[in-house]
Amino acid sequence: MQRFGATKAGAWFFSKTLVAMDRAVIKMTKGRTTVPELLAGLPVMFVTTTGRKSGLLRTTPLVAIPIGDTLALIGSNFGTAPTPAWVHNLEADPTATVRYRNAELEARVRPATDEEYQSVWGSAASVTAAYGKYRERVTNRDIRIFVMTPAPTST
């Protein structure tokens, strides 16, 4: 499944169908899993951002890439031309709620440094080969990468 997802046809297919398939799987499993977790074993977490135009909360299932003692998010959009909406949302408001299985936390994100950017791409290859293919195909924009840290708690 990961090999198919890395192809141009596979990326197109998933970019057009994954949201609807995920909605059904998430509903059936009461939020415990997603299609990429089931079919490809990918580490998917739910990231809730605030819509930059609407101000509404938007939850997106995203693959989390380990980097050091934290996680990163790659705005690859399946290797297609447009930048994903969640990227614009995080650029406008770098706070998010992150849920992975039964754990939930408030997080802040920031753009990856140049060094982190390269490190994330190296780590992404160990999660799925699709990221390397996505990177090759996206030539009309920068693929943004965000590093997450737990948001400070008020005491």
Side-chain angles (χ1 to χ4, degrees):
M1 193 52 61
Q2 285 192 32
R3 265 188 294 228
F4 175 62
T7 67
K8 194 171 186 176
W12 177 88
F13 173 78
F14 286 120
S15 74
K16 303 297 183 199
T17 63
L18 189 58
V19 170
M21 289 189 299
D22 252 353
R23 264 192 214 117
V25 169
I26 290 165
K27 185 175 182 178
M28 286 187 305
T29 65
K30 297 182 176 144
R32 288 188 304 272
T33 194
T34 63
V35 171
E37 282 180 307
L38 287 173
L39 297 181
L42 296 176
V44 177
M45 62 185 184
F46 295 91
V47 178
T48 302
T49 61
T50 303
R52 76 182 193 288
K53 292 180 182 177
S54 68
L56 300 174
L57 296 179
R58 305 289 186 191
T59 300
T60 308
L62 298 171
V63 174
I65 305 299
I67 174 175
D69 59 353
T70 191
L71 297 170
L73 303 171
I74 300 176
S76 64
N77 206 16
F78 299 97
T80 61
T83 298
W86 64 263
V87 166
H88 297 299
N89 293 346
L90 287 176
E91 288 175 335
D93 179 355
T95 60
T97 301
V98 179
R99 183 172 52 85
Y100 182 70
R101 300 212 165 106
N102 292 327
E104 186 172 294
L105 64 91
E106 297 299 314
R108 291 194 58 80
V109 300
R110 61 174 173 74
T113 64
D114 290 342
E115 185 178 308
E116 289 168 331
Y117 194 88
Q118 296 310 317
S119 178
V120 170
W121 280 117
S123 294
S126 68
V127 173
T128 177
Y131 279 117
K133 297 294 184 184
Y134 296 164
R135 192 175 189 189
E136 290 172 13
R137 284 199 297 268
V138 175
T139 57
N140 64 332
R141 66 176 174 92
D142 290 329
I143 296 177
R144 267 85 117 208
I145 295 177
F146 296 95
V147 175
M148 293 188 297
T149 56
T153 57
S154 54
T155 54

